[in-house]
Amino acid sequence: MRCCARSFQQQGLASLLITVVLVLAATLLALTLNRTTIAEYVMLRNQKAQQQAFANAMSALETLKANYANSMANTTFDAAKMKAAVCPSVAAITGWPTSATALCGSSGSAADIIVAVGLSDDETAIERVTERLLGTNPTQGGRQFPTPLLTGGAANIGGSATVLNYFNDFTIWAGGNLSAQNATINTLIRNTATDPNPTPQTRDYRATNVGPNCNNVPAGYTCSTNMGNNNSIIGLDIIDNDPTLLSLSGLTSDDFLQASLGTGMSRQAFVNYYAGWTVDLRGNFETTYGHPPSSTSFDSVMNNGTPRARVVYVHGDLDISGNTTYGSASAPILLVVDGNAKIKGAFYGSIIAMGNFSTTGNTTIYGAVFAKNAGGGTGNATIVYDPYPNLNYQPFAGAGKPQAIPGSWKDW
């Protein structure tokens, strides 16, 4: 009996040990499963936070792209849990930035990249995305017009006017008559004896330090037309009563713009795709184009001597009465005026007027003018044909509103 009792005790002890081991194993399994569940939960939570942050970053990127497309004045976007900025380079960030501009680095000269960041709802995850921008060509090939002054109607010159062209033998090309009422008209073309070919690299063809006329001819030029002051010499550089140009006066504004730029775009498409700065002088820009203008004042085009955009569209008649300098030799402006354009002061670039064009006071234009109707003006006007901002004969290549470069998108 004692032997059997001892055997039963041993069996009970073994059963107890097995039970304890099984309980421990079950406990360890439960703990492991619990830890795995917690880890999976944390991973899912982190993934969700990253997805939220990424979605916010992409939303900021697309929002700023749309705003920037409407106006290049919109260079930042700042909202709850999302920020974006148009930058010259990307700044290093270690936490949530205090402002959208903090996304921009200090290196680089051109603002050609959109940087956007997003924050998750629980503020545990930050995602950053970027996309490169490239300026568009608002004119066919980005090139300049072939003649300093082109008018669909008459060229009505009053006061004193000098037109210079160092690059070819045309200065004034008009669909109507060349009219000089009590005016002095001088045209200067390249002196082929001293300059058989254009040498803009070494010749000051802009003659910026000279008040040019036929009595004060800058180096590299020769007098071609001398009208007024008992002179009536009209050179071969002037063409008037051209029926081809005269037909432009009968075009719609959209057709004239397409003929001027060679891009085949309507005013709506031009504003949406090319114009980096828009000015509403008619009061109904938003109704016409579907989004607000950049400004209601033409003075806003310049910012401390620098153009806010290289392609400017004016909705309405433009009358510049001050002596401001618009654009520069290295950054000429393509100005499209949906109406009449009256210019005073200094202007670097090309002007397209869908109505009449005129100058007043002391005016110097370094570039070219193309008017749908009549062109001319009063006062002392000088037009210097200038197709070379950077000696590349493409003053407006890449000057249009920047567009996203396909394939340049990147997340960090």
Side-chain angles (χ1 to χ4, degrees):
M1 294 294 294
R2 185 177 300 170
C3 177
C4 294
R6 187 178 295 122
S7 177
F8 288 141
Q9 289 176 356
Q10 290 175 350
Q11 290 179 0
L13 181 60
S15 299
L16 179 62
L17 290 174
I18 292 172
T19 301
V20 171
V21 170
L22 291 175
V23 171
L24 288 174
T27 302
L28 291 174
L29 179 61
L31 290 173
T32 301
L33 291 174
N34 186 53
R35 291 185 61 183
T36 302
T37 302
I38 293 174
E40 290 178 348
Y41 172 77
V42 172
M43 290 174 60
L44 290 173
R45 186 186 63 185
N46 292 341
Q47 184 180 16
K48 180 181 178 181
Q50 289 175 338
Q51 290 174 342
Q52 288 176 342
F54 179 77
N56 286 337
M58 287 301 298
S59 177
L61 178 73
E62 295 301 325
T63 299
L64 183 55
K65 278 172 60 177
N67 293 344
Y68 194 60
N70 287 338
S71 173
M72 290 177 67
N74 303 320
T75 57
T76 60
F77 174 73
D78 201 330
K81 296 181 173 57
M82 58 183 75
K83 301 180 188 294
V86 181
C87 305
S89 60
V90 183
I93 58 173
T94 57
W96 185 244
T98 57
S99 66
T101 55
L103 300 172
C104 298
S106 57
S107 62
S109 57
D112 59 359
I113 182 170
I114 295 182
V115 185
V117 291
L119 185 66
S120 62
D121 292 346
D122 60 4
E123 300 184 355
T124 61
I126 299 175
E127 290 289 329
R128 177 170 59 181
V129 295
T130 63
E131 191 163 18
R132 287 281 180 183
L133 302 172
L134 181 67
T136 52
N137 293 338
T139 62
Q140 189 174 29
R143 294 184 179 275
Q144 176 65 287
F145 305 126
T147 307
L149 178 60
L150 295 94
T151 67
N156 299 316
I157 308 297
S160 176
T162 302
V163 182
L164 299 86
N165 190 344
Y166 181 74
F167 299 93
N168 60 61
D169 295 333
F170 296 102
T171 54
I172 300 174
W173 193 357
N177 290 323
L178 173 63
S179 174
Q181 300 177 352
N182 300 320
T184 299
I185 303 176
N186 291 166
T187 64
L188 308 177
I189 59 176
R190 187 177 76 255
N191 187 340
T192 55
T194 61
D195 295 50
N197 298 299
T199 55
Q201 297 88 344
T202 57
R203 178 67 73 191
D204 180 20
Y205 65 91
R206 295 186 181 103
T208 52
N209 297 321
V210 182
N213 54 53
C214 285
N215 295 320
N216 188 17
V217 180
Y221 286 94
T222 185
C223 178
S224 181
T225 297
N226 189 354
M227 298 178 63
N229 295 326
N230 299 319
N231 296 306
S232 58
I233 301 172
I234 300 179
L236 297 177
D237 56 296
I238 293 180
I239 301 174
D240 64 350
N241 293 310
D242 186 326
T244 301
L245 279 182
L246 183 62
S247 65
L248 296 177
S249 298
L251 296 178
T252 65
S253 295
D254 281 342
D255 289 340
F256 177 74
L257 183 63
Q258 293 173 13
S260 303
L261 301 176
T263 55
M265 282 196 170
S266 65
R267 288 171 294 170
Q268 178 79 56
F270 180 84
V271 167
N272 291 342
Y273 194 73
Y274 291 124
W277 197 263
T278 53
V279 180
D280 184 11
L281 301 181
R282 197 170 283 156
N284 62 346
F285 181 93
E286 186 169 2
T287 302
T288 303
Y289 295 104
H291 57 81
S294 304
S295 178
T296 57
S297 169
F298 188 76
D299 291 338
S300 65
V301 169
M302 298 299 292
N303 180 27
N304 296 323
T306 302
R308 295 184 186 272
R310 296 274 311 284
V311 179
V312 178
Y313 184 89
V314 175
H315 184 62
D317 295 334
L318 174 63
D319 187 347
I320 301 176
S321 58
N323 289 307
T324 303
T325 297
Y326 294 94
S328 67
S330 60
I333 295 172
L334 176 61
L335 172 62
V336 177
V337 181
D338 187 7
N340 300 318
K342 182 182 288 187
I343 307 297
K344 182 180 180 182
F347 185 90
Y348 289 84
S350 292
I351 301 171
I352 298 175
M354 299 184 200
N356 298 320
F357 169 82
S358 62
T359 61
T360 182
N362 296 318
T363 302
T364 302
I365 297 172
Y366 300 97
V369 176
F370 196 178
K372 179 174 178 285
N373 299 323
T378 60
N380 300 311
T382 302
I383 302 177
V384 182
Y385 184 61
D386 190 1
Y388 279 95
N390 296 305
L391 302 180
N392 62 2
Y393 203 70
Q394 294 191 20
F396 305 114
K401 185 184 300 181
Q403 303 292 329
I405 302 175
S408 67
W409 179 89
K410 180 181 179 182
D411 62 339
W412 299 70

